[in-house]
Amino acid sequence: MPALRLLGRKWLAASDDLVFPSIFELLFRFVWLVLIALVVEVLYPITWQCQTEGWHGGSFVRLYLCGTLTLQACLMLLLAALAQQSARGTITETDVRRLVSPLLLLKVFLVLPEIGLNVMGTMWMFCEVIQCTVKDKFSSIVIQSIVLFNWVQLGLTVFGLFMVFDPLGSVNYGDMQDTPTQVRHHRKVTGLWSRRFRWAFCWLKRDEHGKEAFQQVAALLSALFRSTDLVPSDVVAGCVLLRVRQKRETREMRRIQMLNDEEPIYTTDVNKVFSETPPWMNLDDALHYLRLSIAAYGWPYVLYRHCFTGFCKLARQLTCCCCRPKNSIVTDDNCCLCHFAGVKYMSKLSADDIIFASFNNRVFELPFCVIVDHDRESIVVAVRGSISLSDIFTDLTAGSEKFEADGLPEDTAAHKGMSMGAAKMLRRLMPVLDRTFQQFPHYDLILTGHSLGAGVAVLVALKLRPKYPHLKVFAFSTPAGLISREAARITESFVLSIGVGDDLVMRLSVHSIENLRTKVIQTIHATKLPKYRIMLNGFGYALFGVPARDLESTWRRPEDLEANNSDDSDALLVQSVSTVSAEAALVSRNVFARRFSSARLFTAGRILHIVRRKRMGIEKKVRTQEPTYEMRWACPEDFMELQVMPRMLLDHLPENVHRTIQTVIEEKHSYRVTHVV
C-alpha cells in the first residue's frame, strides 16, 4: 500500500509483495546456474569439435551456453537485490522501497534476451537446425530440462502479469479530488466488475435476474474499496493483523472484567437461560427443526457428509420415473428425484409427509420444502441455505430496499436479495399452505432455515404473520444485514435465532464489511512489521495460535489501538493516516462518507449465542464434568463487527451448529442425572 507504479500505471501489487516470489525464483535459478555450469564445463571444449563452425554449429552453441550462464548469474543478483529492497520498511513506508520499481523494470527488460536464448536452446536440442550433436546424455537431459522449465517460467511470468494487471491502472489518484471524477471512476470500476461476472459466470446470464444481480454485486465491490488503493495482499495482511488486535482487545476486556469482579456474561445453566422465555423456545424443538432445515439442502449435502457412502445412502431413497409419490408435489428435480431423496434421507420422513418440494434454484429464488410434522402437529416450511453460485449472488445483492408488511414501520428496509427471494417464494408457497391447512386446520405453522434460508424464512414469516398470527420461526446462523432495527425488535416475539461461536455470516453485512475495511486501513498504519513478516506470522498463527508476545510487539504504539476503538469512523481515519504520506492520506480520504447502503440492517429474532467454554487453570490439565458450551441472550448490536477468528467459517457450517446444540442437550441431561445421583 499504495499500489505499485510501473510503466506509467498502477498494478494490483505493492512494492513489498516481491519478497517471497523473488526468493522462490532465486532458489530455482540457483539450481539452474549450478546445472548449466556443469554442462558448460563438459560441453564447452567439445563445441570446438562440432561438424560445422559458425552460426549453425559450435559458435551458436558457445553463445547459448555462455549467454545462459551469464544471464542466470545476472538474474540471481537482480532477484537478491529485489528481495532485499522489497523487504524494507513497513507496509506504508514506500519511500524506503523506491528502488523496487527500477529493479523490477530491469527484470522485465531482461525477459527479452531470456526469450532469445531459450529459442536458441530449443533450436539446438529439439530441432535439427544446429549441427552440433551432444553425445553426453547427462548434458543433453539437463539442457532439455532447462529449456522446458524456462518456457514454463516465462508462461508463469505472463500469467502473473495478467493476474496483477489493473485495467483502470492509468487513473491518477491526484486527479480524483473532484466529485465528478470520482463518480466516473466508480462507474468504470462497476462496469469492469460487471463484465468480469458476465464472462466468468456466463451461464447465469440466462437467468431472469442474473444481469441485475451482476450489477448490484459489481456496485458493492466497487464501493467497498473505492479510492483506498489497497492491493489484495494488503487486505490479507490487514486481516492477520486484525486477528492479533482482536485477541489483544479480548485479553484486555477479560482483564477489566476480572478487576471489576463482574459476573460472567455467558452461563452454562440452560434452565436459567430459558427461564423467562415462552415454552416453544427450547433447544429440543430447535434441534428438531434444524434437522429439517439441513434436509432442505438435498443430495449435495448427503454427498458432502458421506463422501464414500453417499451414493449408497441416496440409492435407497431414489424414485424411478414410473413410481412418483402420489401425495407429494415435487418440482424442478431430476428424473430420479435425487434432491427429494436427499430430503427424505436426512429428515427421516416418508414421502407422504413431504407434501411439496420446490428445487428451482435461480438468482433470488431458493428451493424449499413443505413438511407435515405429525409428532409436533405443525406444518414446517424449510428453506434451503446457500449452496450454489445463484445463492451466492443472492447473498451478495446486499443493498437495502424498502420492505412492506402489515405491522411493520413504514421506513422498514431489508436485504434486497433476500427480500426478492421471499417475494418469489411467497407466490409458490401461499397456494400450498391454503391446501395444507384445509387438511390439517389445527396444526401450527413453523418456518425454519439455515444461513440464507434463515434470512428468507424470517422475511416470509413477516409477510405471512397477518394471516397466520401464531406462526413461529427457528432460524440458524441468520445473516447480520437482514432487516431494520425496529422490525428486528418486532420479530423477537416469534423468531428464535441461534448462532454458534465466531460464525462469520452472523456478523456479515455491508456495514460490517465497510467497518472491516476501516480497521484494515487503521491496523496497517499501526503496525511496525514489514509485510513478509506479517505473512509468515499468519502461517504460524493458523498452526499454533497467536503468542502473547506478539500482542504488544506488533505495534508501533499499542496505546493508539485503544484510542482507535471509537465509533467515529471519520475521526479514526484521519488519525490513522496522519503519520503517513500525503498520497496515502489522499486515496484513503472520505472512505467512510460514502456508505454503499444508507439503511443499517440487523439480524432478526431473539438471539441465542452459544460459545465453547474457555477452560481455565487446572481444567486444561484435568478432564472435568463441566459443560463444554456456555450461552447467553444477545442483541443484534453484538454482531455488527466482523471477527477474524480461526473458526469463523467452521462455526457457520450446519453440521457444527447441529453438533453444538446436540452436545448442549446431552450434557444438560447428563449433568442433571449426575446431580440427582
Side-chain angles (χ1 to χ4, degrees), residues 1 4 26 102 156 173 191 201 218 224 226 229 231 244 251 280 360 474 480 633 642-643 649 660:
M1 179 182 183
L4 179 68
L26 181 64
L156 291 175
Y173 280 89
F201 310 110
L224 285 178
R226 185 176 174 184
D229 206 18
V231 299
V244 181
R251 186 192 66 175
W280 67 270
N360 189 25
F474 288 85
W633 293 111
L642 282 174
Q643 301 289 325
L649 294 176
T660 299

Side-chain angles (χ1 to χ4, degrees), residues 638-649:
D638 296 331
F639 301 95
M640 296 307 295
E641 295 292 334
L642 282 174
Q643 301 289 325
V644 182
M645 296 293 178
R647 290 191 58 86
M648 61 185 184
L649 294 176

Side-chain angles (χ1 to χ4, degrees), residues 525-585:
H525 290 307
T527 185
K528 66 180 183 182
L529 300 179
K531 188 184 291 183
Y532 79 93
R533 280 280 306 278
I534 297 171
M535 296 298 191
L536 287 175
N537 288 349
F539 284 109
Y541 299 158
L543 295 175
F544 309 108
V546 182
R549 64 178 181 274
D550 287 4
L551 301 181
E552 303 296 335
S553 63
T554 303
W555 318 107
R556 287 194 180 102
R557 292 188 299 271
E559 60 273 11
D560 289 347
L561 294 176
E562 282 107 19
N564 284 345
N565 286 331
S566 168
D567 291 333
D568 188 352
S569 298
D570 293 311
L572 288 178
L573 186 60
V574 172
Q575 180 180 1
S576 66
V577 299
S578 59
T579 58
V580 297
S581 66
E583 183 181 18

